[in-house]
Amino acid sequence: NLLFLLRYWKRSGEANALAMVKRTLDAMRRGGIYDQVGFGFHRYSTDAEWLVPHFEKMLYDQAMLMLAYTEAFQATGNPAYRDTALEIAAYVMRDLSSPEGGFYSAEDADSEGEEGKFYVWTMAELRAVLGAEADEFARIFGARDGGNFSDEASGEETGSNILHLARPLPEVARDAGVSEDELRTRLEAARARLLAARSARVRPHLDDKVLTDWNGLMMAALARCGRALDRPELVERAATAAAFVQKRLMRDATLLHRYRDGEAAISGMLDDYAFLTWGLVELYAATFDTHYLATALGLARAMDERFRDPESGSYFMTAHDGEPLLVRPREVYDGAVPSGNSVAMATMATLARMTGDMAWDEKARGIGRAYAKQIAASPMAHTYALVGADFLLGPTVELVIAGRPGATDVAAMRREIDARFLPHLVTVFRPAEGAGAIAKIAPFVAAQNPENGLATAFLCRNFACELPITDPAELGRRLDAARR
């Protein structure tokens, strides 16, 4: 929903769409649905104030919300969104990362037989850890002696507290007569002490399955976040996950769904192919490593061959050569995660613009046509399909950067691109030398050469390119003009 609203705001200029995104992201980050001590989001809220969550943490929620906060930062420049995206990444890398390189699926809600016990605090526990600083911390994070939430069944006070920010920190700092930076420094020191103390508790059970589709989502999120926020370590972590999936869950262009305890099993389904393709496309955009784009194309071809319904143009959830079923389901409903059809539509449309092969564009449009009536009847249930439709509607821009891999002038060009929210732009890198690999995949870049040995950008529409740009600031101005 939030990713679509950002695109709708971008297309229409409708201020209320952006306001909806900001209000939601602000409230979620301050609420009990967010782990204020260890970071990351719980599965959902059980009340209207975002205070009392179901305490389970899912990998896919972290991925989708990392994307939403990253794009919101690009759109608004609000540093709180940047910080939240990075905090989610920190949680995932700390607590949901397999030593082999993949990402685990979830952490349960319960520990010692009680939901949320790992996460809540009594005032006595806060005072034991924070000492004289506990009362200030409690005021800011809504904790009190009787607890701040009641037992759902009995209505009695629990004595425990779910930490949350009742008010934005800038307001708290202003009322306290201190700078926001000073307040944040004090709170961060207290948070670190609480995290260390909490780490000694009995942890919730870790669901240590590594699922191909959810790993694809997290790869996409980390690659996008790392690129947008200039955090190469996040891109590197996404690349490590990609290497793990390719080693353990990929057999040529055939995927398996689940890995655990050294065993890979279960034939891959549509979501596995679609989400992993998305993750690899984002990794290419973050690294310009042609291997990721080539692998993404191979997976997309396998998905098209094994899952496509030639009558409707949409994709079945199971492969043609999979286990026989009475009914082969097809789905475009976007629930807690986007549907495989929605992600396939958006990713195939992107591949068309990256490669110049408009057959992918037609396949993406085929999905849209197959479900157009269903989407129109219930648009809120299909918002990632609408993300794909928004890209297909265009106008899109293909940006080719020609230069030396790893050069500082190429990096300067990239910063101009990555700092902006440009949902209708794709970027392809054309190395100054040895361009054969990318030219084979995207022939339209073959003629785009660096000017006078400088990194050079070419803005193209429908693969017809404007005059070359060698000044990063000029590229920024042209990008701003192109998106109006």
Side-chain angles (χ1 to χ4, degrees), residues 2-18 21 71 75 349 353 361 365 383 385-397 421-425 480-484:
L2 298 170
L3 298 177
F4 167 69
L5 283 170
L6 284 167
R7 283 155 180 78
Y8 182 77
W9 161 75
K10 188 73 170 179
R11 175 176 294 277
S12 68
E14 173 56 59
N16 193 47
L18 183 60
V21 172
E71 291 193 349
R353 293 293 165 180
D361 186 89
R365 292 175 188 274
T383 43
L386 293 175
V387 167
D390 176 72
F391 186 88
L392 286 166
L393 283 170
T396 54
V397 176
F421 178 55
L422 301 168
H424 303 118
L425 178 139
D480 289 337
R483 61 182 179 163
R484 285 197 287 270

Side-chain angles (χ1 to χ4, degrees), residues 23-241:
R23 181 172 181 180
T24 302
L25 293 178
D26 292 345
M28 290 181 70
R29 174 58 182 84
R30 294 201 306 266
I33 192 173
Y34 191 72
D35 180 356
Q36 304 289 341
V37 170
F39 304 146
F41 280 91
H42 298 296
R43 192 170 188 180
Y44 54 82
S45 178
T46 65
D47 62 357
E49 287 74 39
W50 301 100
L51 173 62
V52 183
H54 174 52
F55 285 92
E56 191 174 14
K57 287 181 173 180
M58 311 299 296
L59 181 67
Y60 59 73
D61 285 330
Q62 315 311 320
M64 296 304 296
L65 283 160
M66 195 189 307
L67 285 167
Y69 279 95
T70 296
E71 291 193 349
F73 172 69
Q74 289 177 306
T76 68
N78 184 344
Y81 301 148
R82 174 200 62 209
D83 294 347
T84 303
L86 293 174
E87 288 170 0
I88 297 170
Y91 160 68
V92 170
M93 292 194 291
R94 185 188 68 227
D95 291 340
L96 292 182
S97 286
S98 156
E100 293 184 78
F103 294 107
Y104 297 133
S105 294
E107 287 191 294
D108 284 356
D110 298 1
S111 56
E112 301 182 80
E114 184 177 330
E115 179 171 350
K117 185 173 182 179
F118 182 74
Y119 297 102
V120 299
W121 300 83
T122 65
M123 279 302 302
E125 289 170 331
L126 290 176
R127 289 179 178 121
V129 176
L130 300 180
E133 301 167 30
D135 287 343
E136 179 191 41
F137 188 91
R139 284 195 302 272
I140 294 172
F141 284 91
R144 55 179 184 261
D145 283 309
N148 63 11
F149 69 103
S150 301
D151 181 84
E152 189 174 3
S154 67
E156 295 180 359
E157 289 186 340
T158 62
S160 295
N161 293 279
I162 300 170
L163 301 181
H164 66 289
L165 286 164
R167 294 191 300 152
L169 280 182
E171 292 183 14
V172 176
R174 184 189 62 230
D175 292 349
V178 299
S179 71
E180 187 178 344
D181 286 345
E182 179 184 347
L183 180 62
R184 287 184 183 278
T185 298
R186 292 210 305 265
L187 293 179
E188 173 57 24
R191 184 201 68 81
R193 289 159 64 189
L194 290 172
L195 179 62
R198 196 179 76 175
S199 297
R201 296 177 177 178
V202 176
R203 292 193 68 90
H205 174 72
L206 176 68
D207 182 348
D208 60 358
K209 294 189 302 294
V210 177
L211 301 179
T212 300
D213 51 352
W214 295 3
N215 272 251
L217 279 181
M218 183 51 67
M219 286 160 48
L222 284 169
R224 178 88 63 84
C225 182
R227 173 166 64 93
L229 307 185
D230 193 20
R231 293 299 181 101
E233 70 275 14
L234 303 188
V235 178
E236 290 169 8
R237 184 63 187 88
T240 300

Side-chain angles (χ1 to χ4, degrees), residues 20 33 37 45 97 118 127 130 207 222 256 303 334 345 354 360 373 377 392 407 413 432 436-437 440-441 446 467:
M20 292 163 71
I33 192 173
V37 170
S45 178
S97 286
F118 182 74
R127 289 179 178 121
L130 300 180
D207 182 348
L222 284 169
L256 295 171
M303 176 170 60
D334 297 318
M345 179 165 66
M354 280 185 160
W360 292 116
K373 290 183 180 179
L392 286 166
M413 291 285 191
K440 184 177 179 180
I441 293 172
L467 292 174

